[in-house]
Amino acid sequence: MGEKLGNWADRNQQPAGRSVAPLTFRVSWVRLLGMGLLAAFFAAAGVYLWVTSPGWGFKILGLVCVLFFGGGYGAVVVKQLLDPIVLELSVDGIRPQSGGLIPWEDFEAVGLGRIDAAPGGTPVIGIRLKSYEGYIASLTANEKRLARTAAVTAKLTGSLLRRSVPGTALRRRRSGLRALAGLPQRDIPGMLQWSRAMSDGWDLTFSPHLFRGPAHRVVQKIEAYYLSALIARSGR
């Protein structure tokens, strides 16, 4: 892979002092449609559980399905429709859709991983940072607030499910819910460290289902762009 990336960088090397063109990763509309249908299905299943289940445990599970898939997951789908760029790469760094800028000097690696706490491991595309300072400093006050709100919501949802839903309904998901208990709610560096601990060493993770094309090709393109950006920056 290293030789291929080197060849890519050689072919795309810019004359000293010139920049490389930005590279954007847009959401896959086909996969987004699938996510929307999945959200609708589980939200409908949640309504069914709430209406038909005699016990409060399954009623709470149904309510969480409605809130998570109909509300949270649905909001993600709408956000992707309004802002279809998942990642934007420039000579300065990587700008995730969630906000902030990962400067190249703080970028360490990109690769494939799994969130171990999820049943069977949930596949992710991950980015590891050398330092959190530049990325956190680039976040706006609103982006920090949204990150903290998401952490609080995830932790409360995990606690509610873990305490209320029968074990037969959760099965192997209980370990993942226990892991959410350790998710920091206000400390953004702590959130990144928690993500690293849960996902094979990646500080920021992205679902491969959002991207167009195979996940390994997304990783290769980011690695290659990084090399090209270093060449362009060296000529500044």
Side-chain angles (χ1 to χ4, degrees):
M1 180 183 294
E3 182 179 351
K4 291 181 180 179
L5 294 179
N7 292 338
W8 189 96
D10 290 340
R11 292 195 303 269
N12 291 273
Q13 183 171 351
Q14 303 292 325
R18 291 183 60 184
S19 178
V20 291
L23 174 64
T24 57
F25 291 92
R26 295 180 177 273
V27 69
S28 166
W29 297 113
V30 173
R31 294 179 178 181
L32 190 62
L33 175 61
M35 291 171 62
L37 292 175
L38 184 68
F41 172 80
F42 278 103
V47 172
Y48 177 81
L49 284 175
W50 174 262
V51 172
T52 62
S53 298
W56 277 104
F58 283 99
K59 283 185 179 294
I60 291 175
L61 178 60
L63 178 61
V64 170
C65 284
V66 172
L67 293 176
F68 180 79
F69 289 100
Y73 210 71
V76 170
V77 173
V78 172
K79 179 177 175 60
Q80 297 294 341
L81 287 171
L82 298 176
D83 183 11
I85 297 177
V86 184
L87 292 174
E88 182 175 6
L89 281 59
S90 71
V91 72
D92 295 317
I94 302 174
R95 190 173 298 279
Q97 186 187 60
S98 57
L101 176 73
I102 303 168
W104 289 121
E105 51 266 29
D106 292 341
F107 172 85
E108 182 173 337
V110 61
L112 304 179
R114 286 183 176 273
I115 299 178
D116 296 328
T122 300
V124 294
I125 295 174
I127 294 176
R128 184 163 56 248
L129 307 181
K130 298 175 185 175
S131 169
Y132 297 155
E133 292 183 5
Y135 170 65
I136 293 175
S138 71
L139 292 170
T140 66
N142 185 57
E143 289 165 351
K144 292 178 181 178
R145 180 183 62 80
L146 289 175
R148 289 166 177 152
T149 300
V152 170
T153 303
K155 191 169 184 175
L156 288 176
T157 301
S159 176
L160 180 64
L161 286 173
R162 193 174 66 253
R163 296 172 184 274
S164 305
V165 178
T168 53
L170 295 177
R171 296 176 184 169
R172 292 182 297 169
R173 293 171 175 80
R174 191 168 292 277
S175 62
L177 296 177
R178 283 196 298 267
L180 284 174
L183 174 61
Q185 296 177 287
R186 298 193 59 81
D187 177 21
I188 293 182
M191 296 178 195
L192 296 172
Q193 292 167 359
W194 181 88
S195 176
R196 179 178 289 205
M198 293 292 105
S199 62
D200 290 343
W202 304 110
D203 300 305
L204 289 95
T205 59
F206 309 89
S207 170
H209 302 300
L210 292 175
F211 295 85
R212 300 177 182 179
H216 72 275
R217 286 290 298 139
V218 173
V219 170
Q220 289 174 351
K221 288 179 180 180
I222 295 174
E223 289 175 328
Y225 191 95
Y226 171 56
L227 294 179
S228 190
L230 290 182
I231 293 171
R233 291 168 66 90
S234 67
R236 283 182 170 181

